[in-house]
Amino acid sequence: RPCRTVLRPSRPHSAMLGRSLARAVRPRLSRGLATGETYDMVVIGGGPGGYPTAIKAGQLGMKVACIEMRGRLGGTCLNVGCIPSKALLHSSHLYEEAAKGWGPHGISADNVKMDLDKLMKHKAKTVTGLTGGIEGLFKKYKVDYFKGKGEITAPGSVAMHPMEGGPAQTLSTKNIVIATGSVPAGVPGATVTVDNDAKVIVDSTGCLDLEKIPEKLIVIGAGVIGLEMGSVWRRLGTEVTVVEYLDRITPGIDDEIAKKFKQILEKQGMKFKMGYAVKSATNEGGKGKLVMDPVGGGATETLEADVILSATGRVPYTEGLGAENVGVKLGARGMVEIDDHFATNVPGIYAIGDAVRGAMLAHKAEEEGIAIAEQLAGLGGHVNYDAIPGVIYTHPEVASVGKTEEQLKGEGVAYKVGTFPFMANSRARAMADADGLVKFLIQDGGAHDGMVLGIHIIASNAGEMIAEGVLAMEYGASAEDIGRTCHAHPTMSEAFKEAAMSAYGKPIHF
């Protein structure tokens, strides 16, 4: 067959050395210092960015401490975000399959019921087990864990304010890593007072802990969080209406994918009110009332529901951090400003994850945490931001990595498109789960002709399938490299191969 060349984009020298150096002899760093002596690193925040930073630093021989104010490790992601929401998403999908989705397979079930209390206990057990597991890893790698709030009082000094109260304990350290994460954002220009305890106007945290299945739910914001939470409750029987300011859902996702995704959600029963600006959301005697105006002009409209979910994104959490004590620069929305090596403007203070620029994703934060730990150990830590995947865990899932068509057009990049629908995939048809497609964007011409620039997937297992695309982009692969790689038959991943073939030539089955 024709000779193939893997086109690898150039990277900084330090980045190319990163992984090889990480396997080299580690420097000897302080270990087992007496109380009151200096740490090599203090990490403020024990979420998906902070705790991997601490673990990696411990693995590399550093004397490290991690401060977490929640009292449970894992941050928003593990406690009130990614993990509990995925537990609810999977359980609600199983319920809907049993109640409605087994018909094509000749299976019927009567009187299918959802025990919401038992479902919530499963969610809680999942969270508890995982948070305890991280504490075990801290002990394994000799990370000192402090339950409290960390405040930077001076370069090289962090005050740990204990959760239970009492005087602060001062930790001296050579390096400080800010990994304080993010919190739910408010609704711009609107009066929306979230009260999770009342369970009428809630944010994502409150929506995970509803005590009964609402008859009606209004979701403010057609982003990842809103659509995932909306999907959970819709499957359980709630009438869900999503109100969005823009004329499209999932901002930042490839436009073709977003349109197809919206069609699928509408077919499932989710309703959308696009192009509306929310003015207020209030609790009126235990019922939610939402007032909104059409963005293009027109009469004010009012919607009512049992629960209103505010899901307009997240903002960095830096309250009480002490940035002002040492002059750490904060940018828009409280975001900590950093350079390309995670350093703030104050020597010895670094920041990662949701507290800094870039996508607010747990795995992005983890990669940054590992990179800064390696850098401070004298190694070549590096994050390739062109190969950070994003996933929406609805059914079907939506996953992407790299550029969208809109971005490539805006940057003036010559590109070609290849797509393949799951309706033409044998495994998807056999499972009666054929909604969706795979879309490839590749370089058209030039020295890197054929190189993969972006991959976008709608599929029941898109979140797992995208890993092949991330690996391909990490190594600078061409679409032909993927198209000429044997994929097992019958699998959903054959659609991935055929979309690649479509980008540089023609697929076999479409």
Side-chain angles (χ1 to χ4, degrees):
R1 67 188 188 191
C3 176
R4 291 181 289 137
T5 301
V6 176
L7 302 169
R8 303 180 189 273
S10 60
R11 296 181 183 170
H13 182 64
S14 61
M16 292 187 287
L17 291 177
R19 289 177 174 81
S20 59
L21 282 174
R23 300 183 182 92
V25 178
R26 269 81 172 180
R28 291 186 178 274
L29 297 166
S30 54
R31 168 69 80 190
L33 298 176
T35 301
E37 294 193 42
T38 301
Y39 284 97
D40 294 307
M41 177 193 295
V42 170
V43 183
I44 304 176
Y51 84 75
T53 306
I55 289 173
K56 176 54 70 174
Q59 291 173 342
L60 294 174
M62 294 188 193
K63 176 65 177 175
V64 57
C66 182
I67 306 172
E68 170 52 51
M69 70 177 192
R70 196 185 300 270
R72 292 182 299 180
L73 294 166
T76 294
C77 176
L78 205 161
N79 289 279
V80 291
C82 318
I83 303 305
S85 66
K86 300 315 165 284
L88 296 187
L89 280 160
H90 182 67
S91 296
S92 62
H93 175 63
L94 292 178
Y95 169 78
E96 186 173 49
E97 285 281 282
K100 302 177 183 178
W102 288 343
H105 304 287
I107 305 170
S108 61
D110 296 327
N111 200 29
V112 178
K113 296 181 179 179
M114 167 55 69
D115 185 334
L116 188 62
D117 182 61
K118 193 170 184 179
L119 169 58
M120 292 299 177
K121 288 179 180 177
H122 163 67
K123 179 201 69 173
K125 183 179 179 181
T126 301
V127 170
T128 302
L130 290 172
T131 55
I134 300 172
E135 287 196 37
L137 290 171
F138 271 18
K139 292 176 182 177
K140 178 178 180 180
Y141 295 110
K142 298 180 173 60
V143 175
D144 291 341
Y145 172 33
F146 294 90
K147 295 181 180 182
K149 189 173 179 64
E151 178 190 5
I152 304 171
T153 54
S157 182
V158 178
M160 193 284 294
H161 301 276
M163 284 182 62
E164 64 274 11
Q169 179 179 349
T170 298
L171 306 181
S172 297
T173 179
K174 298 173 185 176
N175 300 286
I176 299 169
V177 177
I178 299 168
T180 48
S182 61
V183 293
V187 181
T191 303
V192 178
T193 303
V194 170
D195 183 355
N196 287 332
D197 291 334
K199 302 189 184 302
V200 177
I201 313 296
V202 300
D203 58 20
S204 56
T205 299
C207 202
L208 289 168
D209 281 326
L210 298 181
E211 295 172 349
K212 60 181 180 180
I213 300 171
E215 290 185 15
K216 292 185 178 181
L217 168 69
I218 297 171
V219 178
I220 305 173
V224 176
I225 296 171
L227 297 180
E228 287 186 353
M229 287 292 90
S231 291
V232 167
W233 296 107
R234 182 203 59 75
R235 293 168 186 168
L236 300 182
T238 301
E239 179 185 311
V240 177
T241 302
V242 180
V243 178
E244 170 58 47
Y245 181 85
L246 301 176
D247 61 357
R248 55 159 294 167
I249 68 171
T250 56
I253 297 292
D254 185 271
D255 191 51
E256 180 184 8
I257 296 296
K259 289 177 179 177
K260 177 65 176 176
F261 182 38
K262 182 171 178 285
Q263 291 171 359
I264 292 171
L265 293 175
E266 287 175 325
K267 186 173 69 173
Q268 292 174 350
M270 193 174 288
K271 300 177 181 179
F272 290 89
K273 299 283 286 185
M274 309 303 295
Y276 281 87
V278 173
K279 295 179 65 178
S280 66
T282 54
N283 182 345
E284 304 286 342
K287 291 288 186 179
K289 178 181 178 181
L290 184 138
V291 179
M292 60 186 186
D293 288 334
V295 174
T300 297
E301 297 183 30
T302 300
L303 297 177
E304 294 183 351
D306 302 280
V307 178
I308 298 176
L309 165 62
S310 177
T312 53
R314 302 182 65 83
V315 293
Y317 178 74
T318 53
E319 180 182 339
L321 175 64
E324 69 283 359
N325 296 337
V326 290
V328 170
K329 289 184 179 179
L330 302 181
R333 304 187 304 161
M335 190 173 292
V336 180
E337 294 188 359
I338 57 170
D339 65 13
D340 291 340
H341 300 282
F342 314 108
T344 70
N345 61 300
V346 179
I349 301 179
Y350 305 84
I352 62 167
D354 286 7
V356 303
R357 66 192 178 216
M360 289 187 170
L361 297 169
H363 44 281
K364 176 257 196 184
E366 179 176 350
E367 293 300 314
E368 290 177 334
I370 292 171
I372 188 57
E374 290 179 339
Q375 287 181 19
L376 294 178
L379 306 178
H382 169 70
V383 178
N384 179 5
Y385 290 100
D386 289 331
I388 301 291
V391 183
I392 305 174
Y393 294 91
T394 50
H395 188 94
E397 296 174 346
V398 179
S400 63
V401 64
K403 301 289 187 180
T404 66
E405 254 198 278
E406 293 68 47
Q407 287 175 319
L408 293 176
K409 288 176 181 177
E411 295 170 7
V413 176
Y415 67 94
K416 291 190 289 188
V417 181
T419 62
F420 191 84
F422 280 97
M423 282 298 294
N425 175 264
S426 57
R427 181 68 182 275
R429 293 288 290 272
M431 295 190 301
D433 199 2
D435 280 335
L437 73 158
V438 181
K439 178 177 181 177
F440 266 70
L441 301 170
I442 68 172
Q443 182 81 36
D444 185 14
H448 292 168
D449 182 43
M451 186 174 71
V452 178
L453 302 175
I455 300 172
H456 309 275
I457 308 171
I458 300 177
S460 58
N461 65 338
E464 301 292 341
M465 193 182 299
I466 197 65
E468 182 178 359
V470 176
L471 187 63
M473 292 191 66
E474 182 66 35
Y475 282 90
S478 68
E480 189 174 356
D481 288 316
I482 298 168
R484 291 187 179 276
T485 298
C486 184
H487 288 61
H489 174 79
T491 59
M492 299 277 282
S493 65
E494 287 180 287
F496 192 91
K497 168 190 171 81
E498 298 226 41
M501 295 172 68
S502 175
Y504 69 86
K506 291 186 180 298
I508 299 298
H509 295 99
F510 189 67

